[in-house]
């Protein structure tokens, strides 16, 4: 049996402590992370439109940090708010927000410092994917557009996370803040291969919980975006006209 820890589960954020992630993954993930950060920062310096959104980046980063730190209570799930970052900030500044949030989460024990690079790449890709999906759904209403974007982006990156963990030959419960009884884990596993076991565990136990969380998050983000369009509509319009990629 897989049991969700008291703090909840956030499927696209790896709660891997220091000393567990293979050295090669640490090196590659941080190298790629810093390359992307360098490109984004260089872009921001050259474009005045991007500089105007720095304060928005700080606000969205704070919201993401708050959402990822506090479980919802109704279900063992943390909000991501990465879709909100993609819509308001664009994929570039959204990546910076992802790095800031993951760094602070690591400092308070939500995953090790050595996992910050990998977590930033995964969540940064989630921001990029959210932005791409949101832009491609321009022919439907805003609320539906945000809801569909949230569901598709989070589900796709959740599957990606399971694949990444499986590639490292690591049980999903180690990476996703889960507890698992060894005896009952064997009853749902048909293979000693972590890739097979992880996807069986994901489909049978984790997916129903995560699906409920994703649906709830899609509602919350849709309401937030709808509120923004009422009190400060230029924030969303500005982001659409001048996306930071």
């Amino acid at each position: 049996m897989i049991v969700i820890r008291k703090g909840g589960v956030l499927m696209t954020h790896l709660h891997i402590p220091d000393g567990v992630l293979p050295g090669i993954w640490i090196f590659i993930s941080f190298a790629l992370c810093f390359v992307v950060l360098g490109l984004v920062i260089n872009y921001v310096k050259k474009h005045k439109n991007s500089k105007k959104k720095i304060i928005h980046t700080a606000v969205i980063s704070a919201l993401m940090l708050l959402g990822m730190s506090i479980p919802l209570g109704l279900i063992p799930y943390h909000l991501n708010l990465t879709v909100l970052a993609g819509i308001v900030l664009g994929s570039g500044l959204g990546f910076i927000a992802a790095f800031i949030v993951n760094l602070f989460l690591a400092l308070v024990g939500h995953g090790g410092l050595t996992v910050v690079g990998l977590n930033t790449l995964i969540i940064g890709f989630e921001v990029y994917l959210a932005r791409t999906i949101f832009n491609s759904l321009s022919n439907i209403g805003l609320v539906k557009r945000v809801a569909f974007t949230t569901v598709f982006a989070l589900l796709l990156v959740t599957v990606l996370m399971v694949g990444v963990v499986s590639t490292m030959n690591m049980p999903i419960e180690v990476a996703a803040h889960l507890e698992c009884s060894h005896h009952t884990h064997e009853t749902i596993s048909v293979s000693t291969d972590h890739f097979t076991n992880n996807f069986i565990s994901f489909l049978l136990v984790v997916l129903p919980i995560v699906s409920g969380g994703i649906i709830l998050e899609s509602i919350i983000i849709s309401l937030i975006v709808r509120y923004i369009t009422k009190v400060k509509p230029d924030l969303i319009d500005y982001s659409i006209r001048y996306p930071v990629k």
Side-chain angles (χ1 to χ4, degrees), residues 21-49:
L21 194 67
I24 186 64
W25 280 87
I26 297 174
F27 174 79
I28 293 177
S29 62
F30 269 105
L32 291 175
C33 178
F34 288 138
V35 167
V36 177
L37 281 175
L39 293 174
V40 171
I41 292 173
N42 184 61
Y43 182 93
V44 171
K45 289 180 178 179
K46 292 181 178 180
H47 294 77
K48 294 181 179 180
N49 290 333

Side-chain angles (χ1 to χ4, degrees), residues 205-243:
V205 182
V206 179
L207 184 58
I209 296 173
V210 172
S211 297
I214 289 176
I215 292 173
L216 183 58
E217 179 158 0
S218 68
I219 296 173
I220 292 174
I221 295 179
S222 296
L223 292 175
I224 292 175
V225 173
R226 185 178 181 182
Y227 175 77
I228 291 175
T229 58
K230 290 184 178 181
V231 299
K232 194 173 178 56
D234 60 305
L235 185 60
I236 302 297
D237 293 339
Y238 180 91
S239 180
I240 293 173
R241 291 198 304 268
Y242 304 105

Side-chain angles (χ1 to χ4, degrees), residues 49-62:
N49 290 333
S50 300
K51 292 180 181 179
K52 294 178 181 178
K53 298 179 74 68
I54 296 299
I55 185 64
H56 302 151
T57 303
V59 173
I60 295 298
S61 297

